[in-house]
Amino acid sequence: LRVPSQLHDIKSAYQKIVKDHLVSGEEPPEQVDIAKTLGITPQRLSTAIRATGSLVSVDAPVISPGSGSYKGSAAGGDGGNSQELLILDTLKCAEPKPEDQVEISFLRQCLENAMASELTPYERDVLRLRLGLDSGTGKTVREIVEICGGGVTMSDVRSAERRAFKKLRSPTSVHTHNLLAYLDLAGADITFR
């Protein structure tokens, strides 16, 4: 990362002023006063200090085993097998992991194949709306009836949903073993009815 040399010069001048005050036994002045002395704005000074600071690698340990930050004694071992906590281990990301996205994509494709081969178009549409497979938010039975313009009743929607699930759960279904593999991976307990 290349930082303009002017920012390094500003930081050096700042550090010299602070050091001179500390050596003489005085309290260092505020950043605003130092910025006035250097003839720059306080924002420019804080930018120079921040931009020229040392970089920290995400692979750097937060707490290294030999740093003395751990409580307790090292009795019972040489500490050689203890794991370091890395900065990368503490970072959180709101987005799903790429491997989870791939897994979800495979599951979606498997579910699409099962629905295409086992269900009628009406049953597929009901399941898509109920589970929110297209929009991400599931619909209630009443909302599905409204979407259909009142052409179907609530009991029609419920029975179509029940039939669709029964067909997808059937042990004779071609795609059941694929769907069950995903459920096993998720740790779900499955029984056939």
Side-chain angles (χ1 to χ4, degrees):
L1 183 66
R2 184 154 161 67
V3 178
S5 62
Q6 296 88 356
L7 295 180
H8 285 288
D9 295 341
I10 291 170
K11 184 176 181 181
S12 296
Y14 167 78
Q15 288 174 331
K16 183 179 181 324
I17 292 171
V18 170
K19 182 181 176 187
D20 290 344
H21 279 81
L22 290 175
V23 168
S24 66
E26 300 174 13
E27 190 72 25
E30 297 289 323
Q31 279 190 2
V32 175
D33 299 329
I34 295 174
K36 284 181 187 175
T37 304
L38 296 175
I40 58 174
T41 65
Q43 292 82 10
R44 178 81 170 160
L45 177 60
S46 66
T47 299
I49 293 169
R50 214 174 36 251
T52 56
S54 60
L55 298 176
V56 177
S57 172
V58 294
D59 294 325
V62 174
I63 300 173
S64 60
S67 69
S69 297
Y70 289 110
K71 291 192 174 189
S73 69
D78 61 356
N81 63 354
S82 60
Q83 297 287 334
E84 289 183 335
L85 178 62
L86 304 179
I87 293 174
L88 183 63
D89 297 332
T90 63
L91 299 176
K92 300 285 184 207
C93 179
E95 305 220 351
K97 296 177 188 173
E99 56 268 19
D100 291 343
Q101 288 178 330
V102 169
E103 196 68 31
I104 289 170
S105 174
F106 284 146
L107 174 59
R108 186 177 204 37
Q109 186 62 44
C110 183
L111 186 58
E112 291 289 339
N113 291 341
M115 288 172 53
S117 67
E118 302 291 332
L119 306 179
T120 66
Y122 176 67
E123 292 167 341
R124 276 196 305 262
D125 291 343
V126 167
L127 273 191
R128 283 182 186 290
L129 291 170
R130 284 289 284 150
L131 301 177
L133 297 178
D134 295 330
S135 65
T137 48
K139 305 267 188 247
T140 64
V141 173
R142 180 163 295 172
E143 289 172 333
I144 294 173
V145 169
E146 290 171 7
I147 289 171
C148 293
V152 294
T153 65
M154 290 173 63
S155 64
D156 291 338
V157 172
R158 284 191 195 100
S159 66
E161 181 182 15
R162 204 173 313 114
R163 275 194 320 271
F165 281 134
K166 185 175 181 181
K167 288 179 182 178
L168 291 175
R169 281 189 192 115
S170 170
T172 59
S173 171
V174 176
H175 297 280
T176 298
H177 68 281
N178 291 338
L179 293 172
L180 288 176
Y182 286 102
L183 293 173
D184 286 341
L185 186 66
D189 184 29
I190 301 301
T191 54
F192 290 105
R193 292 181 212 165

